[in-house]
Amino acid sequence: MNLPALSFEFFPPQTPEGAAKLVNVRGQLAALQPEFFSVTFGAGGSTQERTLDTVLQIKAEGYAAAPHLSCVGSTRDNIRKLLHTYREAGIGRIVALRGDLPSGMASIGEFHYANELVAFIRAETGDHFHIEVAAYPEFHPQARSAQDDLKNFKRKIDAGANSAITQYFYNPDAYFRFVDASTRLGVSAPIVPGVMPIVRFSQLARFSDACGAEIPRWMRRTLEGYGDDVESVQAFGLDIVVQLCEKLIAGGAPGLHVYTLNQAAAPLEILKRIGYQ
Ligand code: FAD
C-alpha cells in the first residue's frame, strides 16, 4: 500500500510544562516525517500569542509549521499584521478558518466567512502561502443544507485555497461522497481526511456534540458499555481508527491529518499499525 503524506495538529500549550511536553511529542511524531505540524488558533484570537510562539518554536526546531488563523471577531488590520509576521518568519502554509464567535463576544468583526479570509490572504500576500481550508464530510452544523455547504466549500477553493483538511468522521462513505460531490462541482484541490484517535470516550462525545461529527450508534453504544475500562476503550478505538485509515488510503485519500490533542502515543500506534515507520 502506498502511504500518503502525514500532518499533525496541536493546540498551543498553556504552561511551560505543556510546552516542554509538546517538544517531546513533536520529536516522536517527527520520526514519521510529516509534511507539516499545524497549530490551532483560539476562537476570537484568544490564543493568538501562544499560537504564534508555538509555530515559531516548531520552525526553529527545523520542521514545517502551519498556523491556523480564524477570522471571526477580527479586523483586516489585525489579520494583515499576523500574515506579515508569519511571512517574515518564513512560514509558508496557513490553515484559514472562520472560527466560532466565543460566547460573550459581541462583534462578528470584519469577516463573515472563511472564503473572505482566503481572498484577503491572497490579496495581501499573493501566492506566498499555501492555504488550507476546512471541509465537512458530514456537513457543517450551521449549514442550511448539504448542497449549500458544498457550494460554500467551493467558494473557499475558488477564492484561492490550495487544499482542504476535513473535520473528523468515522464513516468513510461520508468522506468519499464528499470528495465525489466536490469533484462534480469542479473542485480538484486535494481534500485530506482529518483523523481523530479515540482515547477517552467522554472527551470524544463532547467534541462530537460540539462540532457535528457523528459517532455511529454502534460505536457509541460499545464505547459507553466500556465505562471506566480505559484499556478496552483504547483497544476498540485503535481497531476502528486503523481500519478507517486503511479504507481511506485504499480509496485514494491524498494524505492523513491527525488531530493529536498534543499526545504522541495514540497517533504513533495507529500509524505504525498501518505501516508508517
Ligand atoms: P466557513 O467555511 O466560513 O463556513 C461556516 C458556515 O457558514 C458553514 O455552515 C457554511 O456552509 C456557511 N458559509 C460559508 N461561506 C458562506 C457564505 N459565503 N455565505 C453564506 N454561508 C456561508 N476553529 C478554531 O476556532 N480554531 C482552529 O484552529 C480551528 N481549526 C480547525 C481545523 C480544521 C481542519 C477544521 C475542520 C475545523 C477547525 N476549526 C477551528 C473549527 C471551525 O472554525 C468551525 O467549524 C467554524 O464553525 C467554521 O469554520 P470554517 O472555516 O469552516 O467556516
Side-chain angles (χ1 to χ4, degrees), residues 22-40:
L22 192 55
V23 173
N24 186 271
V25 165
R26 244 180 343 255
Q28 294 183 59
L29 295 174
L32 301 179
Q33 299 184 315
E35 205 175 359
F36 62 94
F37 292 117
S38 83
V39 183
T40 62

Side-chain angles (χ1 to χ4, degrees), residues 58-245:
I58 295 172
K59 171 92 174 108
E61 288 165 9
Y63 308 124
H68 294 210
L69 179 56
S70 66
C71 58
V72 75
S74 194
T75 61
R76 286 188 177 76
D77 258 4
N78 190 31
I79 302 274
R80 184 180 293 116
K81 279 189 200 126
L82 257 179
L83 290 173
H84 291 291
T85 305
Y86 284 135
R87 185 159 69 172
E88 272 153 35
I91 302 297
R93 185 185 294 255
I94 279 186
V95 183
L97 303 145
R98 183 196 71 176
D100 295 302
L101 209 56
S103 56
M105 194 162 170
S107 165
I108 194 161
E110 292 179 6
F111 296 91
H112 294 86
Y113 296 108
N115 64 296
E116 296 164 24
L117 175 62
V118 174
F120 184 76
I121 298 173
R122 284 283 172 249
E124 285 291 318
T125 58
D127 285 336
H128 175 79
F129 290 107
H130 178 112
I131 303 179
E132 306 271 359
V133 289
Y136 301 84
E138 296 175 332
F139 306 108
H140 187 266
Q142 290 159 0
R144 277 193 307 188
S145 68
Q147 293 76 5
D148 225 50
D149 208 31
L150 269 163
K151 284 188 201 142
N152 290 331
F153 170 60
K154 183 169 185 293
R155 282 181 208 261
K156 298 192 275 195
I157 303 296
D158 291 346
N162 301 93
S163 46
I165 301 170
T166 76
Q167 183 59 275
Y168 68 87
F169 55 85
Y170 294 104
N171 178 357
D173 288 343
Y175 168 78
F176 291 121
R177 283 203 160 260
F178 185 87
V179 172
D180 285 348
S182 301
T183 306
R184 280 199 300 277
L185 280 182
V187 171
S188 58
I191 301 174
V192 173
V195 175
M196 179 69 91
I198 300 173
V199 180
R200 278 197 293 138
F201 173 60
S202 55
Q203 184 189 43
L204 182 71
R206 199 160 23 88
F207 286 162
S208 301
D209 291 345
C211 73
E214 188 183 47
I215 306 175
R217 178 182 161 84
W218 64 273
M219 274 179 61
R220 192 180 267 270
R221 296 290 288 156
T222 307
L223 287 163
E224 277 167 357
Y226 288 133
D228 294 333
D229 179 357
V230 178
E231 248 175 56
S232 296
V233 168
Q234 293 182 358
F236 176 74
L238 186 64
D239 268 356
I240 297 292
V241 177
V242 166
Q243 277 179 24
L244 171 68
C245 292

